[in-house]
Amino acid sequence: MPGVLIMDQDGADSARKAKDVQSKAAKKGVEGNNLTNGVPSIPQLDGPSDVHDDSSLNALLQDSVGQVRIPDSLIESWKQLPPELQHYQESFRPLSTLIERVAQTCYNGLEQTIEAMAARSSSASGAPVVNGVGQNGIVNGVSQISKDDFVKRTMLMNFARDQRDKLIKLMVLTQWARQVGDVSKMVDITNWLFHQIRVHEEATEWIGRVKLNMLPLKQSNPDIQTALEVLTTGRASWMPHLNYLPPKPLTPEKLLKTIRSLNALLAIRLNLEEEQPKHFRYSHIANGRATWIVPGEFEVDLSIAEEKPESQFFFIDIRFPFDPAPEIPDNFRPQLENMVNFALETNGLVGCYDTLHDLILTHKITILKQQALELRTQKWGESIGVESVKRSLIVQYWMDLPGPKSWIEIGVASGRKKEGEPGWRERPIPQISMRWFRDGVEVHGLDLMKTMNTVHLSMEQTLNMIVKLHGLNLLRAIHDGLALKIDSTSTSVATLVQPKSRADSPAYKCQLGASGTAFTLAVDNVTGDLTIRPETALSSHFRQDINALKNRSADAPLIIRKLLQSDLQSNTEQLGERRGWEIIRNLNTNKDTISNVFSMPAGYFGVYSRPGWGEQWALAATYNSSAEKWWVVALAESGRSRIIRAASRFAGPSPHRLSIKNLDAIERRGTTLISFYATTYELRKYKISYSIRQDPMSAQSFFKSTDNHVALRIYTRDLLRLPKNRKAVAKNSIHLTHSGLEYRGEHAMHRIKGVVRASPDAGLAKLLRENNKDKDVAFHPRGAFAFLLRTPFGKGFRGLLRRRILYIERLRHVAETLKVEKFTCLKLSLAEVVFTYGDEITKSLRAAISFREDGPTHVELEPSNPHHRVQTLLSHTLSVAGPTSLTAVSTSGAQAWSNFGMFAFYLKATLPLLRAFNDIQSRGADEVRPQTRPPHIYVISLDRYQIAYSKPTVQFDVELAPRGDEILWKCQATKGTQGENNKLVDELKKLFAIGEMSNKSKAVVSGSQEKQWWPKNTGIVATNQGIATVILKVNDLVRSFAATASAAPPNPNNKSVGAKPQSIVKGEPPQKKIKQEKDVIELD
């Protein structure tokens, strides 16, 4: 309950007494050391005190201050102690840590200062240094201190000053730390006071908020009695009635007259008396008002209230011909009317225009700001920032991009023109203007107001136009920096597509070479990120790199160039892997090596090989601004890796997209050069003249043609090493072209096509062309021939080429010999020749000759062939001087015979003789008696044979004795041969006619035997056909003598078989002679 205040008569004394009581109580509390939070506590009523209960305390107070009684609840609250203050010790740090850090900082600063001083140049005065201290002498009272010394001293003084400040602060903190208890209490009390202030502020705010929230709950207090009276009678009785007379209503005629009068007064005043601004002239007058129209801003209606010319105009209505047009609120319309009327009163029509013009400009900027804020909350999101500075609107776009920022500023320009410009003396008219800052730099030279429609306001459309211009500038910078080499034959594409309408966006289409991906670059209007279509793994990676750049205009072209080159390389390598190419990765290369080898800046390149190509040669492709270029490279070992030793370019960009067929053309041309380069190294080593011819051809024809158009020309005489007097099979030179590769297991083989021009021979050429069964050799009707070589990849083929030409010469000579000898050719190739031969008696004897590169030539004959007896000797004849021998003997002086010529000669010369040998051996082959057995025939050589009979013991030598062009055989008895009796000797003499040969007898013998044989010296000479008759007659003679001798009685005077017989002709025994001949082979 509230107490009753009774004024004491002794007011001053009572007040003084109460003050004394309070001071005593406080003093007593201090003496008792009852302090709480540093404040003396209130005396406890329940403890030992002078006041022992409530009654005594109330009595004491009543005695002091009068009839005042303290509530019991208040007394109870005094008994409770206040809560302890909250201690804030979480942010305390040890003083030692602070001292250590300050000391360490001082030491580090001292080191840095000393190093900085040492880095300064020495004293400019050039004074000597003694013990590390310069001598700063004084000359004529002036100190010789250089600028560097002054800087050093300044650095040292600055360091000392900074450290001194830090140490002073540390000293103050150290002194405070000595009174940590008091400082801690001061911190706690300060925090408590701040908390209490904050609580009081929050309480005040809460009370105000409660008061405002209570307003809706307040009940209304309507005047029900007055309301009922007005509703029933129409008036309130307590309100006074002034008895005013209402004006008479205007009739339509009077209204029309008044309006026409106003129209006339306005027309007279505006046309004759009122001076209107140039930019603010009335449009029309109607309905008692004049209308002024400012296009794109406002239409205002004004009228007059008096006829005086100096009377002011009054505001009637206003309309806004722009979109979105604002609606004037009811509470703002009176303010607008007063503002316009005040401007008309003070400045007339000029003031009205200025007021409304400024209002509309400001309102348009406000509309643009609202639209920008709506864009920020919709699809543009955090990509734009909106800020207002006075009457200007700043919209920043592409905020998430790194690097300098871009924004536009929309504000009101003064419209003031520079001196000298048209209309610079006229009154300036403010207009909305816009400035564009692209990457932090203001853009000049563009009419930016074309991007903004001030009649149909659209912030989104303005932003889209600005970002499209920005994107177009970025794409143009990429186009200029990319600098692709585009010409009439180039397949690269670099096109900047500019927008033709507001709805279009700029784009940049680029493609490197015909095989590169056609990328389309565009800029996202909202985020500003550069987009690359189509989306691939490579384009996605490079797109992220571009969008992370701070200066995309300068650095993006380099990354785009890398993207195009990398994409072209990736496409080529994918196609190469399908073709079977292998990418060589263990290459030890650097920028300098690439620049030196390929004669181009270091960039993207690839080195490719195929299984079987070896480790020394490969194909390489370089990718730059002019698309791909193809090279042949020579590799060399370098430790565990390989290096590029040399490179030679052979092809440029493909006019069409690369395919397997195009890669085949590239591989074909590359392997051609590899094969020829390896061979030219050998040709230079052996000093053989050569030349390489490459036909000039366009890229179109290069990738379409199946020919190489690369030829290696080798001079024949240097290649074959022929003597000066020896003619070569080929005239002048050999033209070699490469016709592809063959893969045999793990090895690749070159196929080299050579063309050799030889002397024409229609018959021989026809023979070779019709009977040639070798696919690697072809003959032309005019005498030229072509051949095919197969050589290991990357290896020279000089030796093989030389052997192949000699083989072809051998083949030509074989064909020529077959033609001359009139042999029938069945098969003709470098490896095998099959033909038939014979004479009038024996026809169609088949012979096959196999020419082996790694062994002797082999002759294969049928067992029934008479030459089967000398098959080994015939093979030896073809191989006696090597498989490529061109050794010849002359029979007529006009024909050069090779080994095959000798072989054919022996076939023809020995056929009748060997056929006779077969006849005499076939007779009596089944006889058991020795005297009827066939003789032994010994083949000494192809031109010498021996016939040995056992009963009687006699031997005959048959030897070839040619004379001129005629083939003659000489048959005679072997010297030292035993004769069984004189009758055989006589018969032989009769047959041989030894010593009786004369011109007459020769004619007789020749005439009787058709000149097939005739006696000569110690034997008989027979022609090629006559020798067979001679051998048969001798055999018949010996057989008949043996039969006669076997029928006669034995001779007791006969010697033993081992005794030396009497020889018919001089000579050695055939057995002993056979042993002395190295090349003799005994055949039974």
Side-chain angles (χ1 to χ4, degrees):
M1 294 179 60
V4 180
L5 300 179
I6 301 174
M7 184 175 180
D8 190 4
Q9 298 295 329
D10 300 328
D13 294 338
S14 299
R16 185 173 62 254
K17 289 180 181 179
K19 187 179 294 185
D20 293 340
V21 172
Q22 293 176 1
S23 63
K24 287 181 180 180
K27 184 175 182 181
K28 186 175 181 180
V30 172
E31 292 177 355
N33 295 327
N34 295 327
L35 300 176
T36 301
N37 293 329
V39 180
S41 62
I42 300 175
Q44 300 294 326
L45 300 179
D46 57 349
S49 176
D50 294 341
V51 181
H52 298 285
D53 52 6
D54 297 342
S55 59
S56 60
L57 179 60
N58 286 326
L60 178 60
L61 293 176
Q62 288 177 3
D63 293 342
S64 302
V65 299
Q67 302 296 324
V68 178
R69 183 174 178 82
I70 301 175
D72 295 338
S73 59
L74 182 59
I75 296 175
E76 290 296 332
S77 65
W78 287 350
K79 295 179 181 180
Q80 299 178 2
L81 295 176
E84 285 288 335
L85 298 179
Q86 184 179 359
H87 298 283
Y88 297 88
Q89 296 182 355
E90 291 80 5
S91 60
F92 289 179
R93 294 291 182 270
L95 181 63
S96 59
T97 302
L98 180 60
I99 295 175
E100 290 178 359
R101 291 185 178 179
V102 172
Q104 185 65 35
T105 303
C106 181
Y107 180 76
N108 294 340
L110 180 60
E111 283 188 342
Q112 295 176 0
T113 303
I114 293 176
E115 291 177 357
M117 294 171 63
R120 302 291 300 181
S121 59
S122 61
S123 177
S125 61
V129 178
V130 179
N131 295 329
V133 180
Q135 298 180 2
N136 296 327
I138 299 177
V139 180
N140 296 329
V142 179
S143 176
Q144 300 295 320
I145 300 177
S146 65
K147 183 178 180 180
D148 290 338
D149 292 340
F150 179 77
V151 173
K152 292 179 181 179
R153 294 185 183 187
T154 303
M155 294 169 60
L156 186 60
M157 292 302 295
N158 291 338
F159 166 75
R161 182 192 60 196
D162 296 341
Q163 298 302 321
R164 177 177 175 274
D165 295 343
K166 292 180 181 180
L167 294 175
I168 289 175
K169 295 177 182 178
L170 181 61
M171 181 185 68
V172 173
L173 294 176
T174 304
Q175 292 178 355
W176 284 0
R178 295 174 182 175
Q179 302 176 0
V180 64
D182 297 339
V183 173
S184 179
K185 288 181 179 181
M186 182 187 67
V187 172
D188 295 342
I189 294 172
T190 302
N191 291 331
W192 180 81
L193 289 175
F194 288 160
H195 178 69
Q196 293 301 316
I197 293 172
R198 187 166 59 254
V199 168
H200 281 76
E201 292 177 351
E202 292 177 356
T204 304
E205 182 181 358
W206 179 79
I207 292 172
R209 192 161 50 250
V210 170
K211 184 177 180 180
L212 293 175
N213 294 336
M214 291 295 291
L215 290 177
L217 302 177
K218 184 178 179 180
Q219 295 182 356
S220 58
N221 186 17
D223 188 357
I224 302 299
Q225 184 177 0
T226 305
L228 290 174
E229 184 179 0
V230 170
L231 290 175
T232 55
T233 62
R235 63 182 299 272
S237 59
W238 55 270
M239 294 182 64
H241 183 61
L242 301 179
N243 296 323
Y244 286 145
L245 297 177
K248 294 180 180 181
L250 293 175
T251 61
E253 293 79 3
K254 194 171 183 179
L255 285 175
L256 181 59
K257 181 179 179 180
T258 304
I259 291 175
R260 287 177 176 176
S261 177
L262 286 175
N263 291 342
L265 292 174
L266 287 172
I268 294 172
R269 180 172 176 177
L270 291 176
N271 290 315
L272 299 178
E273 299 176 356
E274 191 72 25
E275 183 179 356
Q276 302 181 60
K278 181 179 179 180
H279 49 275
F280 189 62
R281 294 184 179 273
Y282 79 96
S283 174
H284 59 275
I285 299 173
N287 300 327
R289 65 184 68 179
T291 302
W292 279 262
I293 298 177
V294 178
E297 294 189 11
F298 60 88
E299 298 178 4
V300 61
D301 296 338
L302 303 179
S303 187
I304 56 176
E306 299 178 7
E307 296 182 1
K308 297 180 180 180
E310 61 272 11
S311 63
Q312 76 169 64
F313 285 93
F314 289 94
F315 174 81
I316 303 299
D317 194 8
I318 188 171
R319 293 171 298 277
F320 304 100
F322 59 87
D323 183 35
E327 295 182 0
I328 301 177
D330 294 339
N331 57 353
F332 179 70
R333 190 175 185 87
Q335 299 179 18
L336 176 62
E337 185 176 350
N338 294 333
M339 184 171 55
V340 174
N341 289 335
F342 178 77
L344 288 169
E345 182 181 2
T346 55
N347 295 323
L349 293 177
V350 175
C352 176
Y353 173 80
D354 292 342
T355 301
L356 293 178
H357 182 65
D358 290 346
L359 178 64
I360 296 304
L361 295 183
T362 304
H363 184 69
K364 285 185 176 182
I365 294 176
T366 304
I367 292 176
L368 293 175
K369 178 182 177 182
Q370 293 175 354
Q371 292 178 351
L373 292 175
E374 291 178 0
L375 291 177
R376 181 177 174 85
T377 58
Q378 295 174 1
K379 72 174 185 178
W380 287 76
E382 299 296 330
S383 297
I384 62 173
V386 182
E387 183 181 357
S388 295
V389 180
K390 297 182 179 180
R391 294 178 67 185
S392 298
L393 173 63
I394 299 176
V395 180
Q396 181 181 345
Y397 61 92
W398 298 353
M399 296 181 61
D400 296 334
L401 291 180
K405 303 304 178 182
S406 303
W407 68 90
I408 57 175
E409 293 183 5
I410 302 176
V412 178
S414 63
R416 187 177 294 108
K417 299 180 180 180
K418 295 182 180 180
E419 184 176 355
E421 293 183 356
W424 68 278
R425 295 182 182 275
E426 298 178 358
R427 180 175 178 269
I429 301 176
Q431 297 291 339
I432 291 180
S433 66
M434 182 169 60
R435 294 197 303 169
W436 178 23
F437 290 84
R438 183 180 61 207
D439 296 332
V441 180
E442 185 176 1
V443 179
H444 299 281
L446 293 178
D447 188 3
L448 298 177
M449 292 309 298
K450 291 183 179 180
T451 64
M452 182 172 63
N453 192 342
T454 58
V455 177
H456 301 283
L457 297 175
S458 175
M459 191 67 208
E460 183 176 9
Q461 182 179 358
T462 302
L463 265 181
N464 283 331
M465 292 301 299
I466 291 297
V467 298
K468 287 178 182 179
L469 289 175
H470 196 159
L472 181 61
N473 177 77
L474 175 60
L475 296 178
R476 184 178 289 108
I478 293 176
H479 174 72
D480 297 340
L482 195 58
L484 293 180
K485 295 182 179 179
I486 307 296
D487 52 27
S488 58
T489 61
S490 177
T491 56
S492 300
V493 176
T495 305
L496 182 62
V497 181
Q498 299 189 12
K500 297 181 180 179
S501 63
R502 291 179 178 268
D504 297 337
S505 297
Y508 179 65
K509 297 181 180 180
C510 55
Q511 178 182 358
L512 185 59
S515 302
T517 303
F519 290 106
T520 301
L521 279 63
V523 179
D524 187 82
N525 292 342
V526 176
T527 61
D529 292 337
L530 185 70
T531 61
I532 303 177
R533 294 290 183 273
E535 187 78 15
T536 62
L538 281 175
S539 64
S540 177
H541 172 71
F542 284 101
R543 176 179 56 81
Q544 294 177 1
D545 293 343
I546 293 174
N547 293 328
L549 295 173
K550 292 185 178 181
N551 189 358
R552 295 191 297 177
S553 299
D555 301 334
L558 177 60
I559 298 181
I560 295 297
R561 186 182 300 111
K562 291 181 179 179
L563 167 63
L564 296 177
Q565 295 174 2
S566 179
D567 172 76
L568 180 58
Q569 181 180 9
S570 177
N571 294 343
T572 304
E573 290 179 353
Q574 290 178 4
L575 192 62
E577 290 178 354
R578 291 171 51 193
R579 179 66 180 82
W581 292 5
E582 292 182 350
I583 304 175
I584 301 177
R585 304 187 186 276
N586 60 334
L587 290 176
N588 184 12
T589 58
N590 51 43
K591 293 183 178 180
D592 296 336
T593 303
I594 298 302
S595 301
N596 295 334
V597 171
F598 295 112
S599 301
M600 58 170 285
Y604 286 85
F605 71 97
V607 181
Y608 315 107
S609 179
R610 288 198 65 180
W613 282 13
E615 304 291 334
Q616 297 180 355
W617 299 94
L619 297 178
T622 57
Y623 309 93
N624 51 23
S625 299
S626 59
E628 75 276 10
K629 296 179 181 178
W630 293 94
W631 308 70
V632 169
V633 295
L635 304 177
E637 297 291 337
S638 177
R640 296 183 178 180
S641 60
R642 285 185 283 178
I643 60 174
I644 300 176
R645 179 165 49 88
S648 176
R649 178 187 169 188
F650 67 90
S654 171
H656 304 287
R657 188 171 186 84
L658 282 179
S659 61
I660 298 296
K661 184 178 180 181
N662 298 143
L663 292 186
D664 288 342
I666 293 172
E667 181 180 333
R668 184 167 54 252
R669 175 63 69 90
T671 52
T672 299
L673 296 179
I674 290 175
S675 175
F676 287 173
Y677 288 159
T679 302
T680 54
Y681 175 77
E682 289 187 346
L683 297 179
R684 289 192 299 269
K685 180 179 178 181
Y686 290 96
K687 298 180 180 180
I688 299 175
S689 302
Y690 72 93
S691 62
I692 295 180
R693 176 182 57 83
Q694 298 191 39
D695 293 343
M697 56 189 307
S698 63
Q700 188 85 9
S701 59
F702 172 80
F703 287 98
K704 283 188 175 182
S705 175
T706 57
D707 298 332
N708 273 305
H709 296 274
V710 179
L712 175 63
R713 182 182 181 185
I714 304 176
Y715 292 92
T716 310
R717 184 165 296 278
D718 294 342
L719 176 65
L720 300 179
R721 301 293 183 183
L722 297 177
K724 295 182 179 180
N725 58 352
R726 181 66 180 278
K727 294 184 179 180
V729 60
K731 288 185 177 181
N732 300 328
S733 60
I734 307 171
H735 293 266
L736 302 178
T737 57
H738 192 270
S739 61
L741 287 179
E742 291 182 357
Y743 291 92
R744 299 180 179 178
E746 298 181 354
H747 301 283
M749 304 295 290
H750 286 292
R751 291 187 302 176
I752 308 299
K753 182 179 179 182
V755 178
V756 181
R757 300 183 183 275
S759 56
D761 187 342
L764 179 61
K766 180 178 180 181
L767 176 65
L768 290 172
R769 191 172 64 259
E770 292 179 353
N771 297 281
N772 180 27
K773 305 300 182 181
D774 198 336
K775 297 181 180 180
D776 294 344
V777 180
F779 295 91
H780 194 270
R782 296 184 179 181
F785 62 89
F787 58 90
L788 199 63
L789 292 179
R790 290 176 173 84
T791 64
F793 182 84
K795 303 295 183 181
F797 51 84
R798 179 200 60 85
L800 179 60
L801 176 63
R802 182 174 181 271
R803 291 195 302 271
R804 180 56 56 88
I805 296 176
L806 295 178
Y807 290 162
I808 294 175
E809 164 62 14
R810 179 183 63 192
L811 187 63
R812 284 174 54 83
H813 182 68
V814 167
E816 186 176 2
T817 303
L818 294 176
K819 179 183 177 183
V820 171
E821 300 295 343
K822 298 181 180 180
F823 292 169
T824 303
C825 182
L826 301 179
K827 180 180 180 181
L828 196 62
S829 66
L830 296 179
E832 185 179 11
V833 175
V834 180
F835 61 92
T836 59
Y837 63 96
D839 52 13
E840 297 178 354
I841 301 175
T842 306
K843 300 180 179 179
S844 301
L845 295 176
R846 185 179 183 277
I849 303 175
S850 298
F851 299 103
R852 303 173 183 176
E853 295 185 5
D854 55 351
T857 303
H858 176 68
V859 178
E860 182 179 355
L861 302 173
E862 296 177 351
S864 60
N865 194 321
H867 286 96
H868 191 271
R869 181 188 304 274
V870 292
Q871 179 177 343
T872 304
L873 289 179
L874 291 173
S875 299
H876 183 73
T877 301
L878 294 174
S879 307
V880 74
T884 59
S885 174
L886 291 179
T887 307
V889 296
S890 177
T891 58
S892 63
Q895 177 66 44
W897 293 75
S898 68
N899 290 16
F900 187 80
M902 186 65 69
F903 170 80
F905 168 76
Y906 282 124
L907 286 180
K908 189 174 182 180
T910 60
L911 179 59
L913 177 64
L914 295 177
R915 186 171 58 244
F917 287 162
N918 290 345
D919 289 344
I920 63 177
Q921 284 194 332
S922 62
R923 298 175 184 177
D926 298 332
E927 293 291 340
V928 180
R929 295 175 299 172
Q931 60 273 15
T932 59
R933 289 179 181 176
H936 295 283
I937 298 175
Y938 299 99
V939 180
I940 307 302
S941 63
L942 289 175
D943 55 0
R944 187 177 181 186
Y945 304 88
Q946 286 186 351
I947 306 173
Y949 292 90
S950 58
K951 293 294 184 177
T953 304
V954 63
Q955 295 180 355
F956 298 94
D957 282 350
V958 181
E959 185 176 0
L960 183 64
R963 184 177 61 185
D965 294 336
E966 187 178 6
I967 300 175
L968 299 177
W969 288 92
K970 180 180 179 182
C971 179
Q972 63 181 2
T974 304
K975 295 180 180 181
T977 302
Q978 294 181 353
E980 292 290 339
N981 48 46
N982 295 329
K983 185 178 179 180
L984 176 59
V985 176
D986 294 340
E987 292 295 332
L988 289 176
K989 286 182 178 181
K990 290 180 181 180
L991 180 61
F992 292 154
I994 300 175
E996 296 181 0
M997 183 179 179
S998 61
N999 294 331
K1000 183 177 180 180
S1001 62
K1002 179 178 179 181
V1004 173
V1005 175
S1006 300
S1008 61
Q1009 299 296 333
E1010 298 180 357
K1011 299 182 180 180
Q1012 292 186 352
W1013 74 83
W1014 55 89
K1016 187 177 182 180
N1017 296 334
T1018 60
I1020 189 171
V1021 177
T1023 62
N1024 192 25
Q1025 297 297 331
I1027 190 63
T1029 305
V1030 171
I1031 295 300
L1032 293 177
K1033 287 184 175 297
V1034 170
N1035 181 68
D1036 293 340
L1037 179 62
V1038 174
R1039 286 295 170 215
S1040 62
F1041 182 79
T1044 304
S1046 62
N1051 187 4
N1053 297 325
N1054 190 13
K1055 301 289 183 180
S1056 61
V1057 179
K1060 184 176 182 180
Q1062 180 181 358
S1063 58
I1064 301 176
V1065 292
K1066 296 181 180 180
E1068 296 292 332
Q1071 294 83 355
K1072 185 175 182 181
K1073 189 172 184 179
I1074 290 175
K1075 293 181 180 179
Q1076 292 177 357
E1077 294 290 336
K1078 295 182 179 180
D1079 295 334
V1080 174
I1081 299 176
E1082 296 183 5
L1083 295 177
D1084 190 359

